[in-house]
């Protein structure tokens, strides 16, 4: 059984990932949580040996010694295990520290936790695009696409505005029926169900594949 990260563990991992000596492109703590959520929801089990290098864009994390390497890797694995449990439960809750800010416009920005989480999720979802394409039934394609867009929405204002215009305008209706702020509010309302739906689809496919493999082995 995994050990949940303490506040001290979170602070230590946050400092380690944010240290300027880390390679360019290294995920910060909130980005890492979003990325690991996408990994845990994968239709096909992704071993740590595959996703760990992605944290630092395939570069060496620059551990000062073996003790630090074991400590940090242990924290990352414990973080993944906790997120994996929430995915198994189809939780609708964001991790602590990623809660939405009251004013919708305040949820975009370089240092805003929910925006960072969404960026990490987008990285993970795009990294696993071929896996989703391989296993996702056609009838669920729209659902996964919609939930992924909701979960990615707050990754940047530019992305959100593009999604807003794509979703609210058509060749016959050039003017959106609602303002960007109204649309963003609706996306925020959809976030909990999108978390659960994305997890449910990915994990259901994964469980079906595992069950199929087990039955094949019994034949």
């Amino acid at each position: 059984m995994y050990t949940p990260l303490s506040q001290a563990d979170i602070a230590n991992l946050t400092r380690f990932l944010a240290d300027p000596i880390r390679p360019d492109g290294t995920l910060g703590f909130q980005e890492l949580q979003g990325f690991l959520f996408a990994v845990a929801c994968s239709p096909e089990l992704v071993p740590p040996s595959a996703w760990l290098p992605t944290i630092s864009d395939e570069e060496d994390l620059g551990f000062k010694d073996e003790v630090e390497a074991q400590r940090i890797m242990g924290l990352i694995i414990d973080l993944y295990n906790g997120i994996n449990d929430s995915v198994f439960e189809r939780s609708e809750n964001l991790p602590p520290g990623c809660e939405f800010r009251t004013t919708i416009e305040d949820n975009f920005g370089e240092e805003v936790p929910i925006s960072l989480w969404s960026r990490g999720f987008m990285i993970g979802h795009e990294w696993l695009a071929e896996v989703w394409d391989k296993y996702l039934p056609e009838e669920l394609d729209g659902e996964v696409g919609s939930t992924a867009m909701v979960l990615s929405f707050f990754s940047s204002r530019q992305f959100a505005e593009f999604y807003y215009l794509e979703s609210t305008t058509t060749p016959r209706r050039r003017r959106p029926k609602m303002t960007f702020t109204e649309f963003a509010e609706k996306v925020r309302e959809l976030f909990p169900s999108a978390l659960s739906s994305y997890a449910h689809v990915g994990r259901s496919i994964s469980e079906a594949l595992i069950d199929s493999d087990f039955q094949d082995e019994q034949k």
Side-chain angles (χ1 to χ4, degrees):
M1 183 175 180
Y2 82 97
T3 303
L5 267 61
S6 66
Q7 288 302 311
D9 290 335
I10 291 172
N12 288 333
L13 183 54
T14 299
R15 280 195 298 270
F16 175 85
L17 295 170
D19 193 311
I21 70 171
R22 303 297 155 234
D24 291 341
T26 298
L27 301 179
F29 181 74
Q30 304 294 10
E31 289 175 308
L32 178 58
Q33 291 192 97
F35 172 77
L36 291 179
F37 172 79
V39 170
C41 293
S42 172
E44 186 176 64
L45 180 65
V46 185
S49 59
W51 57 257
L52 278 168
T54 308
I55 293 172
S56 54
D57 199 24
E58 306 294 332
E59 298 292 330
D60 191 293
L61 273 169
F63 298 113
K64 64 182 179 183
D65 53 36
E66 186 64 27
V67 172
E68 182 179 65
Q70 291 183 356
R71 178 173 61 86
I72 294 299
M73 286 302 184
L75 292 178
I76 292 173
I77 294 298
D78 283 345
L79 179 64
Y80 169 79
N81 287 335
I83 292 171
N84 190 53
D85 270 11
S86 73
V87 168
F88 178 78
E89 295 167 0
R90 278 56 160 179
S91 172
E92 294 190 349
N93 298 319
L94 282 163
C98 284
E99 296 82 4
F100 281 99
R101 296 179 177 178
T102 303
T103 303
I104 198 68
E105 300 286 349
D106 292 342
N107 291 293
F108 300 99
E110 291 296 321
E111 302 302 324
V112 178
I114 185 59
S115 187
L116 292 167
W117 186 96
S118 284
R119 266 175 254 166
F121 167 78
M122 181 185 284
I123 291 169
H125 180 70
E126 292 178 349
W127 183 62
L128 292 163
E130 290 185 6
V131 176
W132 280 101
D133 289 343
K134 181 179 179 181
Y135 294 109
L136 184 65
E138 187 175 348
E139 63 269 20
L140 294 177
D141 187 63
E143 179 181 348
V144 171
S146 296
T147 55
M149 289 298 284
V150 168
L151 299 176
S152 302
F153 184 81
F154 292 94
S155 59
S156 74
R157 178 63 185 253
Q158 182 180 11
F159 178 82
E161 289 180 346
F162 173 79
Y163 181 39
Y164 159 66
L165 291 174
E166 284 286 302
S167 302
T168 58
T169 60
T170 67
R172 296 184 64 184
R173 190 181 72 240
R174 297 292 181 181
R175 289 182 135 187
K177 294 201 312 186
M178 63 180 74
T179 66
F180 173 79
T181 298
E182 291 170 335
F183 186 80
E185 291 279 8
K186 288 191 174 295
V187 173
R188 177 169 62 179
E189 292 173 8
L190 291 170
F191 222 87
S193 61
L195 284 166
S196 179
S197 174
Y198 187 86
H200 178 70
V201 174
R203 187 50 61 91
S204 295
I205 295 172
S206 176
E207 290 167 355
L209 290 172
I210 292 171
D211 185 56
S212 176
D213 289 343
F214 175 77
Q215 291 183 20
D216 288 343
E217 290 175 1
Q218 301 306 304
K219 292 179 180 179

